Amino acid sequence: PEMKNFENWELEKLEAQQLLIENHRINSEKIQLEIKLKEKEAEWNQLQDRVFQLEDNLKVERKKVTLLEQQLRQFSQVETAVNKPDLPMGTDHVTSNEELENDPIVQVENPGQVTVQEAENWIKKIYHARWNLTSMRQSLCGSLLHLGSNLYSSPHHFLFEIIQNAEDNQYQTLTPRLRIICGNEFLILTNNELGFRPKDVLAICNLAVSTKKAGTHVGQKGLGFKSIFSATNNPYIISSPWKFYFQVGIRDNMDYITPYWCDKLPFQVENHLNSCNLNEEDRTIFYLPLLPRLHHKKSELPASENREKDFVEMIGASVDPLILLNTKKLRSFQVEDFTSEISREFRCQKDPTSTEAIGQLKSIPGVTDVTCSTAVISETRNSGIPMKFLHFEISFNVPEGTVSPDDSKRGNITKTTVTFAFPLGDFQLENEMSIYAVLPVRNLGFSFLMNADWELVTNRGNLLDNSWNQFLIQESAVFFLLT
């Protein structure tokens, strides 16, 4: 018995030693995890500080843009023609921005009422004003370079701006569409809108000047068109009587807003346009000869893990068909890639439906209208699975005094709209954006899409931290619970 007791004691002793070793291991792992946690918390704090710093920098940049716009208006009124080159206007008078904005042609709203001769004279008048601007030129040129090619992180971003402009355009057709045609060394963008008005031409030839109103149009910053220069130095614009281009590198960075009239399109441009089977509905055309570094380079390897997609191949992927859930005018995106002979077309169809949530939403004080529909985005030229959504659109009043005029441009808006789209059937959101301001803003990992009239930072990559966005967030939270 004593031997047995001794053996039991030895076993218990061994188990105790093992427990001590295990306890020591667990404590060591706990200490290591606590160290890693502190390191991650420090990294998170650094990232937060960096985000706050970037947001502060963006606010400073926006103030600079506003200041430079005011300086452009002020100094262009007192400019005198110093060392003036031989200009096509045949006049010694220097046209100021104020004179351009007050010109009678700016009041013409119907694009069809502008003759080719009037369009040519207007382009030359803007050209004359830009060429003669001498004082403050260096400062303005630096800002134009920043806005023209440095503001956005990706050269594909200009596609969002083209979509934004297409949504804000005027139409008479039942199916407003944007068509994107990709070649090895060029892009062609067409839109079946009514066409450019004189004030639209003046807006894209200006710095931070827009013809669009906050709360009514997708774009209000007057900066979007400048992003096109991240992909080209020589864009051509053809729209009814208008036929003009920009050429970066002629003089200085004022070239970003200096238009040149085009009596006859270059042979290469004509040749490319003729190869695209354009029709009378394509009233507005952007021809973009791509920067050499963006040219499509043929490869025997498919774009996969072994080879990254180049710029032209990425164009199709950059067109987000889910935008069609949010557009009130655009109904179709067409993408035609001549380099791969792939043609795609996305269309959105919304059919009204009923749900109990409509009555509950309408009972909320301030809500003025609620619609619910089944939205289907289909790829008409392929047999892919349609993307189906339950789509809610909620309009509601903005109480007076809700928005602070100190941090928002939405102070005069009395009514706004928020939409939610919930996937139906087998379709699920994976890497898609979840927050939209008609165009995609960022992915927050939601299993649904939310669209509202958010106020955004200049490069559209995030929401501003202001009273208007806080109001939208608070109201949307109530709507989401019911939808």
Side-chain angles (χ1 to χ4, degrees):
E2 291 178 356
M3 180 62 69
K4 191 173 182 179
N5 290 337
F6 179 78
E7 288 175 353
N8 289 338
W9 179 80
E10 286 291 327
L11 286 172
E12 289 173 357
K13 180 180 178 182
L14 181 61
E15 287 176 356
Q17 289 175 342
Q18 290 176 342
L19 287 174
L20 285 173
I21 293 171
E22 181 67 15
N23 184 57
H24 179 71
R25 185 186 64 80
I26 292 173
N27 286 335
S28 297
E29 289 182 355
K30 179 183 176 183
I31 292 171
Q32 290 177 354
L33 288 173
E34 287 176 345
I35 292 172
K36 288 182 179 180
L37 178 61
K38 289 180 180 179
E39 290 175 349
K40 293 297 181 182
E41 287 177 345
E43 290 177 3
W44 173 251
N45 291 333
Q46 289 177 352
L47 285 173
Q48 280 190 318
D49 291 340
R50 180 60 177 160
V51 168
F52 292 146
Q53 181 184 355
L54 288 173
E55 289 178 345
D56 290 339
N57 290 343
L58 285 169
K59 290 179 181 179
V60 171
E61 290 295 325
R62 292 177 69 242
K63 290 180 180 179
K64 287 181 180 179
V65 169
T66 302
L67 178 61
L68 287 170
E69 176 192 356
Q70 295 171 350
Q71 291 171 337
L72 176 61
R73 292 174 180 272
Q74 175 184 354
F75 284 94
S76 63
Q77 295 176 24
V78 298
E79 283 293 332
T80 57
V82 179
N83 299 324
K84 181 179 65 179
D86 186 18
L87 296 171
M89 289 298 294
T91 175
D92 290 331
H93 175 65
V94 180
T95 308
S96 69
N97 252 12
E98 185 177 2
E99 288 175 299
L100 289 173
E101 292 169 0
N102 293 328
D103 194 291
I105 196 171
V106 175
Q107 305 304 318
V108 178
E109 290 291 336
N110 185 348
Q113 293 178 345
V114 180
T115 67
V116 174
Q117 188 60 54
E118 289 172 332
E120 179 180 356
N121 290 341
W122 185 233
I123 291 294
K124 289 182 176 179
K125 201 168 188 178
I126 298 173
Y127 164 84
H128 185 222
R130 298 295 173 263
W131 191 273
N132 278 278
L133 188 65
T134 53
S135 66
M136 291 300 293
R137 193 176 189 95
Q138 184 177 1
S139 176
L140 293 171
C141 285
S143 295
L144 286 165
L145 174 62
H146 175 61
L147 296 174
S149 57
N150 298 341
L151 180 60
Y152 300 101
S153 58
S154 167
H156 299 96
H157 188 97
F158 79 91
L159 271 179
F160 289 156
E161 304 300 340
I162 294 295
I163 293 171
Q164 167 182 294
N165 290 339
E167 169 64 8
D168 290 334
N169 288 339
Q170 303 174 80
Y171 297 89
Q172 286 184 337
T173 179
L174 294 177
T175 310
R177 62 166 169 75
L178 176 65
R179 186 180 176 196
I180 303 167
I181 303 168
C182 309
N184 288 323
E185 300 177 359
F186 67 90
L187 292 180
I188 296 174
L189 310 161
T190 76
N191 183 216
N192 57 350
E193 61 145 339
L194 290 179
F196 269 52
R197 300 165 298 179
K199 61 183 175 183
D200 299 324
V201 175
L202 181 59
I204 66 174
C205 298
N206 240 321
L207 175 63
V209 174
S210 176
T211 61
K212 304 170 185 178
K213 296 180 180 179
T216 304
H217 298 89
V218 183
Q220 305 103 36
K221 297 180 184 302
L223 307 178
F225 177 78
K226 309 302 183 294
S227 68
I228 208 170
F229 292 102
S230 64
T232 182
N233 278 337
N234 184 209
Y236 282 79
I237 299 174
I238 304 147
S239 182
S240 299
W242 308 97
K243 197 188 305 182
F244 62 100
Y245 64 94
F246 297 87
Q247 179 63 67
V248 175
I250 295 282
R251 187 178 182 187
D252 54 27
N253 290 321
M254 287 292 286
D255 294 335
Y256 287 111
I257 58 173
T258 303
Y260 295 83
W261 181 256
C262 185
D263 287 313
K264 182 174 176 58
L265 293 172
F267 171 77
Q268 185 181 30
V269 178
E270 285 277 15
N271 189 37
H272 287 160
L273 292 177
N274 291 336
S275 68
C276 297
N277 299 319
L278 302 180
N279 55 51
E280 292 182 356
E281 285 191 351
D282 296 307
R283 293 190 180 93
T284 295
I285 302 168
F286 290 79
Y287 176 84
L288 312 180
L290 295 175
L291 298 171
R293 61 184 174 82
L294 302 180
H295 287 181
H296 174 64
K297 299 174 180 61
K298 293 184 179 180
S299 173
E300 295 181 359
L301 291 174
S304 63
E305 295 180 0
N306 299 323
R307 181 178 69 84
E308 292 184 358
K309 292 182 179 180
D310 64 22
F311 175 83
V312 173
E313 291 170 324
M314 283 293 294
I315 288 294
S318 297
V319 178
D320 181 358
L322 299 182
I323 292 173
L324 294 172
L325 291 170
N326 308 321
T327 54
K328 295 184 180 297
K329 298 177 184 177
L330 278 178
R331 285 292 173 263
S332 169
F333 292 147
Q334 294 180 13
V335 182
E336 299 171 39
D337 188 348
F338 286 4
T339 67
S340 62
E341 299 183 352
I342 294 177
S343 179
R344 309 174 71 189
E345 180 179 4
F346 298 99
R347 291 201 177 195
C348 183
Q349 177 68 37
K350 294 179 182 177
D351 296 315
T353 188
S354 60
T355 173
E356 294 180 1
I358 295 178
Q360 295 174 328
L361 288 166
K362 286 184 176 180
S363 67
I364 298 176
V367 172
T368 59
D369 190 31
V370 179
T371 61
C372 182
S373 60
T374 302
V376 180
I377 297 178
S378 56
E379 191 172 347
T380 60
R381 300 184 185 180
N382 289 294
S383 56
I385 299 175
M387 297 179 283
K388 295 183 180 181
F389 296 86
L390 185 63
H391 186 268
F392 288 90
E393 183 171 318
I394 307 153
S395 299
F396 53 98
N397 293 324
V398 180
E400 186 176 353
T402 298
V403 182
S404 170
D406 296 333
D407 65 6
S408 173
K409 296 181 180 180
R410 302 293 197 269
N412 295 325
I413 293 180
T414 59
K415 184 178 178 180
T416 190
T417 300
V418 169
T419 66
F420 294 96
F422 300 92
L424 297 175
D426 296 331
F427 170 68
Q428 292 183 347
L429 296 176
E430 295 180 358
N431 297 320
E432 289 83 355
M433 293 291 187
S434 54
I435 298 297
Y436 285 72
V438 177
L439 303 176
V441 178
R442 62 179 303 178
N443 186 1
L444 295 182
F446 296 158
S447 59
F448 61 92
L449 304 181
M450 179 182 174
N451 173 63
D453 181 28
W454 306 107
E455 284 198 275
L456 308 176
V457 298
T458 306
N459 67 359
R460 297 188 58 90
N462 208 341
L463 310 183
L464 285 173
D465 183 11
N466 65 7
S467 55
W468 172 258
N469 286 341
Q470 289 298 326
F471 167 70
L472 290 181
I473 291 171
Q474 292 169 6
E475 295 297 310
S476 300
V478 177
F479 302 149
F480 171 73
L481 291 175
L482 294 177
T483 55

